[in-house]
Structure formats: structure tokens, C-alpha cells
Amino acid sequence: MSDPATLAALHRACFAEPWSADAFAALLAAPGTFALQSADGFILARVAAGEAEILSLGVIASARRGGQARALVADAAAQAHRHGATAMFLEVNQHNAAARALYDGLGFREVGRRKGYYRANPPEDALTLRAELPLPAR
């Protein structure tokens, strides 16, 4: 079982607008929601009605570009597939080139856009990405 306080601490180390331990606890209490952790990162995902969604993924800055995010996504996709998901979705900032390259390399493709999804000045769009499960072998 994932610890909401640990997940909140990792989220705080990764993002400018961190989620609280209470928020993680509420999400993890929902059916089909699960979290995985690495040494310096985490992924939060859920499975429902044959589809999976990545809710949040983060790796602390000093550990980025070391393969942890790729491993977390692959492991979450495998777990989601074992629980009946045939596709996985996520949103990513249109300007996050590193994340987009990661997801592209794992087989995710753009299927939509959410205008102004990310609060910024000016607001930034999110790309909705989808991959068939299981993910292609590495």
C-alpha cells in the first residue's frame, strides 16, 4: 500500500503546485486507483471500464533523465493491463518536450487537446495522449 504522506512529499519535490497527503489518500481510496514508487519518483494511475489513466507522474529534478519515469510508466501500464485495461491515457503540457519524448518513445499518441488546461500566464494547453496496452516491449 502506498503511503499518502510519502507521495505528497515526492509530489511537492516535483511540482510547483503540490497535492496534499489528504488528496493522495482520497484518490487512493477510489476503486481502481494505485500508486507506484521508485527511489526518487512516483506514478499515480487508475483503471476503470477497460481504460487506464495516469493521474500524476513525477521524478525529482536531480534524478531525471535516468530512466525512472520510463520504468514507472511501463510498470503502471503493465499493472493496468493485468487489471483489464486495454488503453492508457494521460495529459501532458504541450511545451514539456522531455515528457512528450518519453511518452512518444513508449507508444503514446496525441488524441486530443485541452485548451488552457494548465494555469500559467498565459494558460497552456494539455495534449491528451493514448497508448494501446500492453505497451510495446522496450
Side-chain angles (χ1 to χ4, degrees), residues 4 12 18 32 35 47 51 59 71 78 89 100 115 124-125 127:
R12 186 171 41 258
V47 177
E51 295 180 341
V59 174
F89 293 85
R100 290 180 63 190
K115 299 292 273 176
E124 297 178 326
D125 294 354
L127 303 178

Side-chain angles (χ1 to χ4, degrees), residues 2 7 10-11 14-15 34-46 52-60 63-82 88 90 102-103 106 108 133 135 138:
S2 297
L7 292 169
L10 283 167
H11 198 275
C14 296
F15 299 104
F34 64 92
L36 303 173
Q37 291 176 235
S38 65
D40 297 306
F42 73 96
I43 189 166
L44 181 69
R46 70 175 154 214
E53 178 184 16
I54 295 174
L55 302 172
S56 189
L57 167 67
V59 174
I60 64 171
R64 292 182 186 153
R65 305 241 186 247
Q68 286 189 59
R70 176 176 292 277
L72 285 164
V73 173
D75 290 349
Q79 182 166 328
H81 188 251
R82 286 191 302 274
M88 181 171 259
L90 61 93
L102 165 72
Y103 297 130
L106 287 165
F108 284 84
L133 297 182
L135 293 178
R138 295 185 222 184

